[in-house]
Amino acid sequence: MDRMWAAAAVGAGAVVSCAGAFEASIRVVAQRASRVYVAPGEVFYVEALLTYPHLVGGWHQFAGVQGSIVIDGDAGSPSNFRCFFSSSVLIRWGEFVGGSRVGLDYELTPAFFQGGFIPPQIPNVNGLLGGYDLKIDEPGEYGIRWEPGPTYTSVRLFPSVQSPYWVDAKTEYFGTTVIVTPCRPDLTTTAIPGQAGYGEPDGVLNNDDFAYYLAQFAAGNVLVGDQTHAAIPDQPGYGMPDGVLTNDDFFFYLAIFAAGC
């Protein structure tokens, strides 16, 4: 796949010098979560967020970022792209390739940085590199991640908006998983480990699914057992996995199993 590449200037924070160790992260989330369940054709929101520290000092610190939001197989139908930046000569928004948003094109060679965006002075900068609505019709499990460009393989930090100098920050990348399923409690074909279809949904909800969930929950398998943040409908985080396995997950699964599909 051919991709256009981009570098975004995001300003905030302060540094004392260009030397030293710096850390940054780019986190791709769906519905503000690292794992989410949706029905086929259900619209959800994908976004890529940049974070780097605001340090006490005399200079504004700018970040140079390059890359794309990439979805497994470029799956899905996207719409309503949005960003902190306005499209301009230095800032081009790239394009959709299927469900992926590739080539967030902001500036290819910022040897002399000009322009940028200065958010409020807050402890950490959370810049929206890009976000959009997405729907996927085909059931399955889809990974969504940030793919760095060929020039900026990490976030570059600049001491000022016009500085030709930078440091490459140690950058962590976090992706998200979207499970598209017409029947969320349908988890397996059989409850017997080693048999064909174990851990593979078959479109039928029966006692095998409940037994499979119970076994995974008891084994501490967070990827299967973690189903919700809260077990009470309308509470914040209801139906949204939170990376922690608790009794709320068990009672949530019990409720959706009882409700059927």
Side-chain angles (χ1 to χ4, degrees):
M1 176 190 305
D2 293 330
R3 300 189 187 279
M4 299 184 305
W5 298 104
V10 188
V15 295
V16 176
S17 71
C18 285
F22 299 90
E23 295 183 353
S25 69
I26 296 179
R27 183 180 301 272
V28 176
V29 293
Q31 300 292 90
R32 294 299 177 99
S34 59
R35 185 176 178 88
V36 67
Y37 291 83
V38 298
E42 179 182 352
V43 176
F44 58 96
Y45 184 57
V46 175
E47 57 189 337
L49 301 170
L50 165 67
T51 299
Y52 61 96
H54 166 78
L55 304 176
V56 176
W59 295 344
H60 284 302
Q61 180 174 294
F62 281 72
V65 181
Q66 183 185 74
S68 302
I69 301 172
V70 177
I71 302 173
D72 288 344
D74 296 321
S77 302
S79 60
N80 300 324
F81 179 78
R82 65 211 76 169
C83 180
F84 271 160
F85 313 101
S86 298
S87 181
S88 67
V89 174
L90 294 177
I91 300 171
R92 289 171 290 177
W93 279 352
E95 61 187 11
F96 286 119
V97 175
S100 297
R101 185 78 190 192
V102 303
L104 299 179
D105 188 6
Y106 295 101
E107 172 59 42
L108 291 175
T109 54
F112 193 78
F113 239 67
Q114 300 182 39
F117 180 84
I118 304 177
Q121 300 297 308
I122 54 178
N124 285 282
V125 179
N126 290 284
L128 178 65
L129 298 178
Y132 52 93
D133 297 322
L134 182 69
K135 65 176 181 177
I136 302 176
D137 295 324
E138 188 68 25
E141 187 170 307
Y142 299 87
I144 309 179
R145 67 189 186 280
W146 180 265
E147 185 175 284
T151 304
Y152 287 17
T153 56
S154 62
V155 174
R156 288 183 176 179
L157 300 180
F158 295 78
S160 69
V161 70
Q162 293 186 331
S163 174
Y165 307 105
W166 71 83
V167 293
D168 289 315
K170 178 183 177 182
T171 306
E172 289 189 284
Y173 298 97
F174 301 92
T176 186
T177 300
V178 177
I179 298 104
V180 181
T181 174
C183 181
R184 181 167 174 176
D186 173 28
L187 300 175
T188 191
T189 301
T190 176
I192 302 175
Q195 281 194 348
Y198 184 74
E200 298 177 2
D202 61 353
V204 178
L205 189 63
N206 55 35
N207 289 338
D208 285 342
D209 297 294
F210 185 81
Y212 173 81
Y213 179 81
L214 186 61
Q216 299 303 308
F217 181 86
N221 185 345
V222 175
L223 289 179
V224 175
D226 177 28
Q227 295 279 323
T228 191
H229 178 70
I232 301 175
D234 299 326
Q235 276 195 343
Y238 182 75
M240 301 290 292
D242 60 358
V244 180
L245 199 59
T246 68
N247 288 340
D248 285 343
D249 298 297
F250 176 80
F251 288 116
F252 174 83
Y253 182 81
L254 182 62
I256 63 173
F257 179 84
C261 296

